[in-house]
Amino acid sequence: MTVEQKESNIKVPKHDSKDNDLLIKRLKRIEGQIRGIQQMVDDDRYCVDILIQISAAQSALKNVGFQLTERHMKHCVHDAMVKGDGDESVEELMAVLKQFSK
Amino acid sequence: MTVEQKESNIKVPKHDSKDNDLLIKRLKRIEGQIRGIQQMVDDDRYCVDILIQISAAQSALKNVGFQLTERHMKHCVHDAMVKGDGDESVEELMAVLKQFSK
Amino acid sequence: MTVEQKESNIKVPKHDSKDNDLLIKRLKRIEGQIRGIQQMVDDDRYCVDILIQISAAQSALKNVGFQLTERHMKHCVHDAMVKGDGDESVEELMAVLKQFSK
Amino acid sequence: MTVEQKESNIKVPKHDSKDNDLLIKRLKRIEGQIRGIQQMVDDDRYCVDILIQISAAQSALKNVGFQLTERHMKHCVHDAMVKGDGDESVEELMAVLKQFSK
């Protein structure tokens, strides 16, 4: 754990803490949506109503993903490109984007 | 609330409670994944590592959606079709599937 | 080919030819979009402009898929359900929907 | 047209023509897939078989999109970042990625 943390301290450019707070706020709202869906299943609510809520949670999660992707490109990928290590950084991001679209 | 519950008692064919338990178990696991992602953001972990976890949570949520869609077709859509109200039921489901694919 | 055709004559409920004509018209438009994209690549046009056209073609193709899925549910799945073979038909459709969402 | 071409001559870094040839080859294959789907509809083939082919064409089209996105990041976005215009370039790409995921 400590080793991993250390490693990430090297790799990770410090992110804006205000930006992190916003992301966490959004993720807490998604956590609440997931709990609401559990309750709907437990209450044996109409499947289509549950599916609509799952779709809303998915959409919110996707938006968090997009926000992180944009931040990653503007900072990590940017820094790698300026240093001349851009290609590896792009390939790493493409692998994640492909997984996302599955 | 009580009125809505009553209405859903009419609309909703009782679902297998074992099936509901499984869905809730999966949703609790997804809730845990979302909390883990919050922690990763708070720890300022590497964006790509966070994106991979978001992608995993999204995939798990999508599978819950598929399980519910299958159950919905086998029960609610099936019952509507046998009763002769199939078209309305299909159109309702299609609207959700289109929203899902966004 | 002839055997397959024969088999499909058994399996397939005759579709409305007007419905088929509309689907073919849409598919011809998509074929034109794909040819337009080839031309853009050949002209070395700006990547983002090409990506926007690919996204439009994908969206059009997805809509054809939705139209076919709706028709399939209203006819083939419906007939299977009324005959009591609904579950198999639903599982077949779910497998395609999962592939679609990848 | 000529004006647009001129403008794109300024904006577009010359792409590797071997890379363009590969993209066009893939797009021609997709064009063939779309034509095959038209034939399947015209032959009134089984909906699920047609849906499987639509899914395959969509997947192929998505892969062309990914290839273009990767090339765009490695060249256009890279050049913009090195010049100090990275943010605008990232935002333009994010807008396309969001449209893609719809």
Side-chain angles (χ1 to χ4, degrees):
Chain A
M1 195 67 115
T2 335
V3 176
E4 201 185 337
Q5 208 106 20
K6 225 185 239 158
E7 195 195 7
S8 75
N9 283 340
I10 297 161
K11 262 175 120 176
V12 178
K14 281 275 167 260
H15 294 114
D16 187 352
S17 77
K18 233 164 71 183
D19 203 42
N20 276 354
D21 289 351
L22 187 72
L23 280 167
I24 291 169
K25 214 170 143 183
R26 283 181 174 209
L27 286 162
K28 278 196 193 303
R29 210 179 304 142
I30 295 167
E31 192 193 327
Q33 287 177 292
I34 304 291
R35 262 200 302 271
I37 296 165
Q38 288 167 32
Q39 194 57 55
M40 289 178 90
V41 173
D42 202 38
D43 291 347
D44 220 9
R45 293 279 296 275
Y46 186 48
C47 303
V48 170
D49 292 340
I50 305 176
L51 284 169
I52 289 167
Q53 292 311 312
I54 290 179
S55 172
Q58 253 183 334
S59 176
L61 201 52
K62 193 158 71 174
N63 282 333
V64 171
F66 280 134
Q67 208 187 322
L68 264 167
T69 304
E70 182 167 344
R71 183 172 90 170
H72 179 61
M73 285 202 272
K74 284 184 174 173
H75 298 108
C76 313
V77 177
H78 172 269
D79 293 354
M81 280 180 170
V82 170
K83 271 188 230 159
D85 301 330
D87 279 10
E88 201 190 337
S89 180
V90 167
E91 281 152 25
E92 185 190 46
L93 180 57
M94 285 311 300
V96 183
L97 291 180
K98 281 174 193 173
Q99 211 181 327
F100 249 100
S101 84
K102 273 187 188 167
Chain B
M1 196 67 113
T2 335
V3 176
E4 201 184 337
Q5 207 106 19
K6 225 186 239 159
E7 195 194 7
S8 74
N9 282 338
I10 297 160
K11 262 174 121 178
V12 179
K14 281 272 163 262
H15 295 114
D16 187 354
S17 76
K18 237 164 71 183
D19 202 42
N20 276 353
D21 289 350
L22 187 73
L23 280 167
I24 291 170
K25 215 171 143 182
R26 283 182 174 208
L27 286 162
K28 279 196 191 303
R29 211 178 303 140
I30 294 167
E31 192 193 327
Q33 286 177 291
I34 304 292
R35 263 199 302 270
I37 296 164
Q38 287 167 31
Q39 194 57 55
M40 290 177 88
V41 172
D42 201 39
D43 291 347
D44 221 8
R45 294 278 296 274
Y46 186 48
C47 303
V48 171
D49 292 340
I50 305 176
L51 283 169
I52 289 166
Q53 292 310 313
I54 291 178
S55 172
Q58 253 183 335
S59 176
L61 201 51
K62 193 157 70 173
N63 282 332
V64 171
F66 280 135
Q67 208 187 323
L68 264 167
T69 303
E70 182 168 344
R71 184 172 89 170
H72 179 62
M73 284 203 271
K74 284 185 174 172
H75 297 107
C76 312
V77 177
H78 172 271
D79 293 354
M81 280 180 171
V82 169
K83 272 188 231 160
D85 303 330
D87 279 10
E88 201 192 336
S89 179
V90 167
E91 281 152 27
E92 185 190 45
L93 181 57
M94 286 311 300
V96 182
L97 292 180
K98 281 173 192 173
Q99 211 181 327
F100 249 99
S101 85
K102 273 187 188 167
Chain C
M1 196 63 116
T2 334
V3 176
E4 202 185 335
Q5 208 106 19
K6 224 186 239 159
E7 195 194 8
S8 75
N9 283 338
I10 297 161
K11 262 174 120 177
V12 178
K14 281 271 165 263
H15 293 113
D16 186 355
S17 77
K18 234 163 74 184
D19 203 43
N20 275 355
D21 288 351
L22 187 72
L23 280 167
I24 291 169
K25 213 169 144 184
R26 284 182 174 209
L27 286 161
K28 278 195 193 302
R29 210 178 305 141
I30 295 167
E31 192 192 326
Q33 288 177 290
I34 303 292
R35 262 198 304 269
I37 296 165
Q38 288 166 32
Q39 193 57 54
M40 290 178 89
V41 173
D42 201 39
D43 291 346
D44 221 9
R45 293 279 295 275
Y46 186 47
C47 303
V48 171
D49 293 339
I50 304 176
L51 283 169
I52 288 167
Q53 292 311 312
I54 291 178
S55 172
Q58 254 184 334
S59 176
L61 201 51
K62 194 158 69 172
N63 281 333
V64 171
F66 279 135
Q67 207 187 323
L68 264 167
T69 302
E70 183 168 343
R71 183 172 91 170
H72 179 62
M73 284 203 271
K74 284 185 174 172
H75 297 107
C76 313
V77 177
H78 173 270
D79 293 354
M81 280 182 172
V82 170
K83 272 188 229 158
D85 302 330
D87 280 9
E88 201 191 337
S89 179
V90 167
E91 281 152 25
E92 186 190 44
L93 180 57
M94 287 310 302
V96 182
L97 292 179
K98 282 175 192 173
Q99 212 181 325
F100 249 100
S101 84
K102 273 187 188 167
Chain D
M1 195 70 111
T2 335
V3 176
E4 200 185 337
Q5 208 108 17
K6 225 187 239 159
E7 196 194 8
S8 75
N9 282 341
I10 297 160
K11 263 174 119 178
V12 178
K14 281 271 167 262
H15 294 114
D16 187 352
S17 76
K18 234 163 73 182
D19 204 41
N20 276 353
D21 289 350
L22 186 72
L23 280 167
I24 291 169
K25 213 170 144 183
R26 282 181 176 211
L27 285 161
K28 278 196 192 303
R29 210 179 304 140
I30 294 167
E31 192 193 328
Q33 287 177 291
I34 304 291
R35 263 200 302 270
I37 295 165
Q38 288 167 30
Q39 194 57 55
M40 289 177 91
V41 172
D42 201 38
D43 291 347
D44 220 8
R45 293 278 296 275
Y46 186 48
C47 304
V48 171
D49 292 340
I50 304 176
L51 284 169
I52 288 168
Q53 292 311 312
I54 291 179
S55 173
Q58 253 183 334
S59 176
L61 200 52
K62 194 158 68 173
N63 282 332
V64 171
F66 281 134
Q67 208 187 320
L68 264 167
T69 303
E70 182 167 344
R71 183 172 90 171
H72 179 62
M73 285 202 271
K74 284 184 174 172
H75 298 107
C76 313
V77 177
H78 173 270
D79 293 353
M81 280 181 172
V82 170
K83 272 188 230 160
D85 303 329
D87 280 9
E88 201 191 338
S89 179
V90 167
E91 281 152 26
E92 184 189 47
L93 180 57
M94 286 310 301
V96 182
L97 292 179
K98 281 173 193 174
Q99 210 181 328
F100 249 100
S101 85
K102 272 187 187 166

